[in-house]
Amino acid sequence: MSATPAAASSLQAALSYCVRQVRSYDYHHYLCLLHLPPPMRKAAFTFRAFNVETAKAMDVVSDPKTGLMRLLWWKDVIDKVFANKLVEHPVAQALSSVVLDRKVSKHWLKRSVEARINDANRDEGAIPETSAELERYAEDTQSTILYMTLQAAGIQSTVADHAASHIGKATGLLLLLKALPHHVNKQGVIPYIPASVAEECGLLTREGDRSEVRMDDRLPDAVFKVASVAEAHLHKARDLASSVPREAIPVLLPALPAQVLLDSMRRCEFNVFDSRVSRGVHGVSPLWYQLRLNWYAWRNKY
C-alpha cells in the first residue's frame, strides 16, 4: 500500500530538515553528498544528519549531564526505529524510511552513538592515552557513516570498506584537531591530544591519576604528530583506489575535505589556533573548495 499524501509530505519535510542540518553544520560534507547519484542521497543525508545531531548534543548545552541524556535518547531512538516505532523527530523519521527501504546495519548506528556516549562519560579533562584510542573514536564516529552509505547503496566491497575505514579515521582525527580551540575555550583544557604524544613533545603533566596537556609553543608539534597519523590513513585509502569499485568512489569523496584541512593546518605550521584554519571551508575559499571537489568528482577520484 502506498503512503498517504500526508505521510509522504511529512517524510519529505523530514528529509529536507536533514539536508538543511548537514548544510548548516557539516558544509564540507554537504558539498560532497551533492556528487552522489540521486538514489544514494536520501540515505547519505540522513546518516550525516544523524551524525550532526549526536555530534552537537554535548555542545548545545551548558550542563554535560543534559548532553549525555540527549545521546542516550538517540541510542533509544535507534532501537525504536528498528522496531518500526514512530519517533517524532525529523531525523528519526528519515532514518525509519531509510531502514525500511535499504539494508542498513543497526550495529553501525549503535556504534556511532555509543562512542559519543563513552566520550561524554569520560572524567572532565581526561585525555586518551594513545593515538590508537583516538583512531578508534574517529572510526566509530566517521567511518561508520561511510560504511552505512556504502551498505545502503548496495555496494559490497571489502576494499571500499577498508578505504572508508582509513578516510573516516583521517577525517575524525583532523576534525578533533581543528576543534581544539573550541574545546579549550569551553573546558579550559586540551582534551584530544593523546598522553603518549604530549609526553613525547614535553607537554604532559601528571598529578596522581590525572594527566593534562600543557598549552605552550610546543603544541603545534603534538598537533603535527596526530595529523601525521591522519595523513598516513589518507595515503592508505588512496593506495586502494585502483581496486575500489567505480560506484563506490563518490561515497569516498570525503577524503578530499580531509586533505584540504590537512593542507590548511600545514600552511599554518599546525597551529590550530591560527584563525586561518577555520576560515571559509577548512581554511580555503568556498569557491576554491568547490572547484577542487568538482575536479576530483569529474575525474572519479577521491
Side-chain angles (χ1 to χ4, degrees):
M1 184 180 293
S2 60
T4 65
S9 176
S10 176
L11 177 57
Q12 189 56 50
L15 293 172
S16 295
Y17 175 87
C18 290
V19 173
R20 290 196 304 274
Q21 287 294 92
V22 178
R23 182 170 185 168
S24 297
Y25 295 98
D26 195 1
Y27 187 64
H28 54 280
H29 285 133
Y30 165 82
L31 293 174
C32 289
L33 299 192
L34 296 181
H35 289 281
L36 290 172
M40 296 171 65
R41 291 179 193 168
K42 172 183 169 182
F45 273 111
T46 298
F47 299 145
R48 286 283 171 194
F50 174 81
N51 185 61
V52 165
E53 294 291 338
T54 56
K56 67 187 182 80
M58 297 297 293
D59 286 335
V60 297
V61 294
S62 54
D63 182 2
K65 290 182 181 178
T66 305
L68 179 58
M69 290 196 56
R70 188 67 178 167
L71 288 170
L72 291 169
W73 182 82
W74 275 110
K75 183 179 179 181
D76 187 49
V77 164
I78 296 168
D79 289 328
K80 289 180 177 177
V81 163
F82 278 84
N84 202 26
K85 295 179 180 178
L86 178 65
V87 181
E88 292 291 346
H89 189 286
V91 174
Q93 286 180 268
L95 263 180
S96 293
S97 178
V98 170
V99 167
L100 187 65
D101 293 346
R102 308 275 179 164
K103 182 182 177 183
V104 180
S105 173
K106 182 180 179 180
H107 167 73
W108 299 128
L109 285 164
K110 272 289 185 77
R111 183 172 163 185
S112 171
V113 73
E114 284 172 355
R116 295 198 186 278
I117 289 169
N118 292 337
D119 187 54
N121 271 324
R122 287 189 306 147
D123 293 337
E124 188 175 352
I127 60 175
E129 280 297 317
T130 65
S131 294
E133 287 182 44
L134 269 190
E135 289 174 89
R136 279 194 297 274
Y137 179 71
E139 178 168 36
D140 289 346
T141 55
Q142 295 295 324
S143 303
T144 50
I145 303 171
L146 301 178
Y147 297 152
M148 289 188 293
T149 306
L150 289 167
Q151 191 177 50
I155 300 170
Q156 296 181 338
S157 166
T158 303
V159 179
D161 287 344
H162 284 164
S165 174
H166 290 303
I167 292 167
K169 287 175 182 175
T171 298
L173 291 173
L174 292 167
L175 289 176
L176 287 173
L177 293 174
K178 184 186 180 185
L180 284 179
H182 164 76
H183 291 294
V184 170
N185 289 336
K186 187 175 181 181
Q187 303 173 24
V189 295
I190 300 172
Y192 293 112
I193 296 294
S196 58
V197 172
E199 188 167 37
E200 192 177 341
C201 296
L203 293 169
L204 190 68
T205 59
R206 293 189 188 270
E207 289 186 20
D209 293 333
R210 183 181 175 85
S211 299
E212 192 169 303
V213 181
R214 284 197 300 275
M215 182 91 170
D216 68 25
D217 56 8
R218 291 170 291 184
L219 183 59
D221 295 336
V223 171
F224 166 74
K225 289 183 181 296
V226 178
S228 296
V229 176
E231 185 171 32
H233 282 297
L234 285 177
H235 286 318
K236 289 174 182 176
R238 288 177 174 141
D239 286 343
L240 296 168
S242 61
S243 302
V244 169
R246 186 177 180 85
E247 64 270 23
I249 287 178
V251 179
L252 304 178
L253 260 180
L256 188 275
Q259 185 66 58
V260 169
L261 180 53
L262 177 64
D263 293 343
S264 292
M265 288 182 184
R266 184 173 284 114
R267 281 193 298 275
C268 296
E269 298 180 327
F270 296 95
N271 175 14
V272 290
F273 289 84
D274 190 316
S275 62
R276 290 176 293 171
V277 175
S278 58
R279 287 180 191 164
V281 180
H282 281 345
V284 300
S285 77
L287 176 60
W288 189 92
Y289 176 83
Q290 289 187 62
L291 288 172
R292 190 168 177 190
L293 186 63
N294 291 346
W295 173 248
Y296 269 69
W298 180 70
R299 295 181 67 200
N300 212 40
K301 293 180 63 177
Y302 60 82

